[in-house]
Amino acid sequence: MTALQNPEAIRHFQSLCDACQQLADRYHGPAELRLYADGYLHALRRTAVLDPISQRRLEELVDRWILDPSSFLGPGGDPSRLYETGRN
């Protein structure tokens, strides 16, 4: 298990989780969430906000987390509506 020890990395993970949940609430699918997360992680790499070990651990954790559908709730908190294509 990859655990985040760096408080700054934990804050970035929480921020990324919140942003991806908001995207999922607006019916964005897994591919779009992955693109968002990749961009976020790339920006962190470019700015060197985190030390290399914390950056690598964050990237590994995000890789596992974003692929797990149980990480997200569907719009309105209904897991059965996650990634629906129809929008109300």
Side-chain angles (χ1 to χ4, degrees), residues 9 11 21 24 28 46 48 64 77 82 88:
R11 281 191 286 278
Q21 181 60 57
H28 291 274
R46 295 284 294 174
R64 284 196 322 272
L82 184 61
N88 296 332

Side-chain angles (χ1 to χ4, degrees), residues 22-86:
Q22 288 174 358
L23 289 171
D25 286 345
R26 294 188 311 237
Y27 301 98
H28 291 274
E32 293 165 312
L33 299 180
R34 181 77 246 180
L35 282 173
Y36 181 86
D38 286 348
Y40 190 102
L41 294 170
H42 177 73
L44 282 178
R45 264 192 310 278
R46 295 284 294 174
T47 59
V49 170
L50 301 174
D51 62 88
I53 292 171
S54 294
Q55 178 76 33
R56 191 189 77 231
R57 286 184 178 157
L58 176 61
E59 290 174 7
E60 290 170 356
L61 184 59
V62 167
D63 283 342
R64 284 196 322 272
W65 168 78
I66 207 153
L67 294 175
D68 183 1
S70 68
S71 299
F72 302 99
L73 292 175
D78 182 4
S80 67
R81 297 184 62 204
L82 184 61
Y83 309 134
E84 277 186 357
T85 56

Side-chain angles (χ1 to χ4, degrees), residues 13-27:
F13 181 72
Q14 290 171 332
S15 177
L16 184 55
C17 290
D18 292 344
C20 284
Q21 181 60 57
Q22 288 174 358
L23 289 171
D25 286 345
R26 294 188 311 237
Y27 301 98

